[in-house]
Amino acid sequence: MKINKVSKIIATIKVPADKSITHRAIMLSCLSNGTSVINNYLHSDDCKMTMNAFKLMGVEILQTRNSLTIKGVGLNGLKKSQQNIYAGNSGTTTRLISGILSGQNFSSTITGDDSLSKRPMKRVIEPLRLMEADIIAKDDNFLPLTINANGSLKSIDYVSKVASAQVKSCILLAGLYADGITSIIEPEKSRDHSERMMKAYGADIVVDNLKVSIKKCDKLHSQEINVPSDISSAAFFIVAGLILQNSKIKILEVNINPTRDGIIEVVKNMGANIKIDNIKNISGEEVADIEVSSSCLNCINIDEKIMPRLVDEIPILTLCATQAEGTTIISGAKELRVKESDRLFAIASQLNKMGANIKETEDGLIIHGKTKLKGCIVDSFKDHRIAMMLSIAGLIAEGATEIIDSDCVNISFSNFYEVLKEICK
Ligand code: S3P
C-alpha cells in the first residue's frame, strides 16, 4: 500500500466491531443452550478462525453481513473435529479454545500460521495441565497443540505471572467444566470482557479485584449481543487526529471499557484535545463517541502498571510520541516481543527508517521527540497493528510511504484502507 502525506482530516467515522468481544460472543454462543444472535460482529480473518473451529465441531452458524445466528449445542454438545483446527494468526482463538477443548471428551489438534506457531503456549499449557488436561505441544510450548481430553478436569487456584486476558479467559472457560470452583489471580487487571459476558450467559462467576472465580457450570443461556466498536482500531484514528495539523476526527460508539481505555488516559496526559461524549451501555460494555483534534503533545512515561489497558496500542502510541516534545519512555512492555510480530523491534526499526529517534530496550522503547518523518519503504512484518500504525505515519511523512504486506490489516480491520481513503479525500 502506498500512502501520501495529507494536509488535514476532518471526518466522522465508525470503526469495526471489537475483536475480543466478537471471539468471546461466538464461543459462548456455541456453548449455550438455545439460539444466540450476535449483531455487528467483527468480519475479520481472526474471528473467522474462531467461527470455523466451532463449525468443524458441528455448530451451525448462520452468517449475514451484519449478524451471526448461532444454534448453541450446549457445554457438552461439541463433536470431535475430523481435521486439525487451524487458528491462522489468532492467539485469542488458540488460547481461549484450548480451555474449552480441555473440557471435552475427545481429542483435538490446533495448528496456526508461521507467526502463531512461534508464539508461546506454555502460559496456557501449564495451568491446563494443573487442571489435569493431557496436552502435547511442540517443544512443550508451541503449536501444533494436541489436547487429549477425557471429560474430566480438576479445579485450580492459579496465580498467573502474566497479566493476560487470553490466559485468564482460557482458565475460566476450562473452569466451566472443572469440578468445584476454579480461580485465577493476575498481577495486573487485564481486559474483563470474558467475565462480563460469561455472567450474562449465566455462568456463576465472581470478580474480587485481581481474582476471578468460576463454578462448574451445567448450562449457559443463549443471548443477543451487540458488539461495540473496537478501541484498538479507533486508536489509529485517535492518534491521526492528534498529530495531523488542522484536523478533527470523531469516532462513534467506541468501547471504552475501563480495562481497555489506557490510550485515552495517556493521550490526555500528553496534552491531547480529546472529548468523550454520549456515554452509554451496549450489551454490558461502556461505549462513547471519541472526538480528537490537532494537539501540541508532550512526552510521557508508560509503564507495566497501565500496560494491560493499552497493550495493543503501543505501536500507535509510539508514533504519537515521535510527534511529542521531549523523551517518552515505555517500559514493562516485554509482552510485545511475543505478539503477532516482535512489536518492539518492528516499531523501532521501521519508524527509525522514516526518521524517528527511537531506542529499543529489552522491555520497551525510548522515543526522542519531536521528529520529522519522511516516506520510504517499510515492512509490516505481516502484523496488522504495525501495518496500520505505519499507514498513519505515512499521512504525516514527507513524500510517499510504501508498506509491504499491508493486506494483514484483514486480521482486525478489513476496510481500514477504504476508511482511510474516504477521510483523506
Ligand atoms: C486479547 C488479549 C491481549 C491482546 C490481544 C487480544 C484477548 O493479549 O493483546 O490482542 O482478546 O483476550 P494477551 O492476553 O496476550 O495480553
Side-chain angles (χ1 to χ4, degrees):
M1 181 60 65
K2 257 204 188 118
I3 306 280
N4 288 310
K5 185 173 169 156
V6 293
S7 55
K8 64 170 182 181
I9 294 178
I10 308 276
T12 298
I13 57 170
K14 217 171 156 174
V15 298
D18 192 278
K19 181 154 82 70
S20 294
I21 295 175
T22 302
H23 279 298
R24 286 155 173 82
I26 296 169
M27 291 182 192
L28 292 174
S29 298
C30 291
L31 298 178
S32 295
N33 287 75
T35 300
S36 292
V37 178
I38 309 171
N39 297 312
N40 185 43
Y41 69 101
L42 177 66
H43 251 282
S44 81
D45 284 356
D46 259 24
C47 295
K48 231 177 263 164
M49 296 303 150
T50 291
M51 245 187 287
N52 285 345
F54 284 94
K55 283 185 185 165
L56 285 173
M57 292 189 283
V59 185
E60 249 181 74
I61 304 181
L62 182 81
Q63 192 177 353
T64 67
R65 253 222 90 65
N66 295 318
S67 72
L68 294 174
T69 303
I70 300 182
K71 274 198 192 152
V73 294
L75 282 159
N76 297 305
L78 296 176
K79 295 195 185 78
K80 180 180 164 67
S81 167
Q82 294 311 307
Q83 60 194 75
N84 289 345
I85 293 173
Y86 180 65
N89 192 248
S90 177
T92 309
T93 305
T94 308
R95 296 193 178 117
L96 269 61
I97 258 184
S98 300
I100 296 171
L101 295 177
S102 297
Q104 307 306 311
N105 55 14
F106 52 78
S107 300
S108 317
T109 296
I110 311 172
T111 59
D113 72 5
D114 285 350
S115 150
L116 188 62
S117 302
K118 290 190 195 108
R119 296 181 67 187
M121 296 301 155
K122 190 96 191 180
R123 53 184 63 198
V124 291
I125 295 174
E126 196 179 272
L128 290 173
R129 277 190 184 146
L130 291 173
M131 297 177 87
E132 296 186 346
D134 174 358
I135 302 181
I136 303 162
K138 185 170 169 247
D139 297 333
D140 221 28
N141 194 12
F142 303 104
L143 295 185
L145 210 69
T146 296
I147 302 177
N148 295 310
N150 62 8
S152 114
L153 283 181
K154 204 179 106 201
S155 59
I156 50 167
D157 294 306
Y158 192 67
V159 180
S160 179
K161 290 189 282 291
V162 280
S164 159
Q166 294 179 353
V167 172
K168 174 173 64 179
S169 305
C170 167
I171 296 171
L172 293 175
L173 287 163
L176 290 169
Y177 295 91
D179 282 326
I181 297 176
T182 297
S183 72
I184 162 152
I185 300 179
E186 305 187 86
E188 302 290 342
K189 194 158 184 67
S190 65
R191 64 192 65 189
D192 67 355
H193 307 301
S194 297
E195 295 90 305
R196 290 171 184 236
M197 208 183 283
M198 287 171 99
K199 211 176 260 176
Y201 277 79
D204 190 344
I205 190 162
V206 176
V207 179
D208 177 13
N209 199 12
L210 296 174
K211 181 175 177 180
V212 187
S213 311
I214 188 160
K215 228 190 214 161
K216 183 178 169 122
C217 184
D218 293 334
K219 225 185 219 179
L220 295 172
H221 307 287
S222 55
Q223 297 293 308
E224 179 166 356
I225 301 276
N226 298 305
V227 186
S229 293
D230 198 324
I231 193 164
S232 297
S233 297
F236 300 101
F237 295 99
I238 293 177
V239 170
L242 297 176
I243 64 177
L244 275 159
Q245 309 259 301
N246 308 314
S247 297
K248 186 180 271 194
I249 303 181
K250 187 170 183 174
I251 312 144
L252 302 175
E253 295 193 331
V254 182
N255 182 212
I256 52 157
N257 176 317
T259 60
R260 295 281 302 279
D261 67 351
I263 183 171
I264 297 176
E265 183 177 320
V266 163
V267 297
K268 266 187 187 160
N269 288 333
M270 293 174 85
N273 297 318
I274 180 164
K275 273 200 286 192
I276 312 294
D277 273 332
N278 193 18
I279 299 178
K280 54 189 177 195
N281 191 291
I282 297 187
S283 297
E285 294 278 347
E286 300 84 348
V287 169
D289 298 340
I290 302 177
E291 188 180 280
V292 288
S293 53
S294 319
S295 304
C296 289
L297 300 168
N298 39 58
C299 56
I300 193 157
N301 285 346
I302 301 176
D303 62 16
E304 79 277 0
K305 215 77 211 127
I306 196 170
M307 200 51 62
R309 282 173 57 212
L310 46 68
V311 62
D312 292 337
E313 285 66 79
I314 291 295
I316 193 68
L317 281 171
T318 305
L319 171 65
C320 194
T322 67
Q323 302 310 304
E325 291 296 340
T327 300
T328 289
I329 300 176
I330 299 176
S331 61
K334 68 172 189 303
E335 275 294 300
L336 269 81
R337 298 227 179 257
V338 290
K339 292 289 180 192
E340 287 84 330
S341 68
D342 175 345
R343 285 189 176 156
L344 297 180
F345 173 74
I347 297 167
S349 60
Q350 302 312 294
L351 283 178
N352 283 344
K353 238 194 219 177
M354 296 180 76
N357 182 353
I358 304 173
K359 189 172 166 285
E360 212 183 312
T361 65
E362 207 186 313
D363 73 338
L365 297 165
I366 300 172
I367 306 123
H368 299 285
K370 159 178 186 179
T371 45
K372 282 213 162 73
L373 300 184
K374 54 179 193 306
C376 60
I377 298 175
V378 283
D379 193 348
S380 70
F381 295 91
K382 299 196 169 83
D383 181 333
H384 55 136
R385 302 205 195 279
I386 299 298
M388 291 187 273
M389 178 276 284
L390 292 170
S391 304
I392 301 299
L395 298 179
I396 59 163
E398 274 317 317
T401 301
E402 195 175 326
I403 298 135
I404 300 172
D405 287 327
S406 56
D407 57 351
C408 60
V409 300
N410 287 330
I411 294 295
S412 62
F413 197 157
S414 0
N415 61 338
F416 176 77
Y417 287 112
E418 279 105 84
V419 173
L420 198 59
K421 211 170 175 182
E422 184 63 33
I423 67 176
C424 288
K425 260 186 196 162

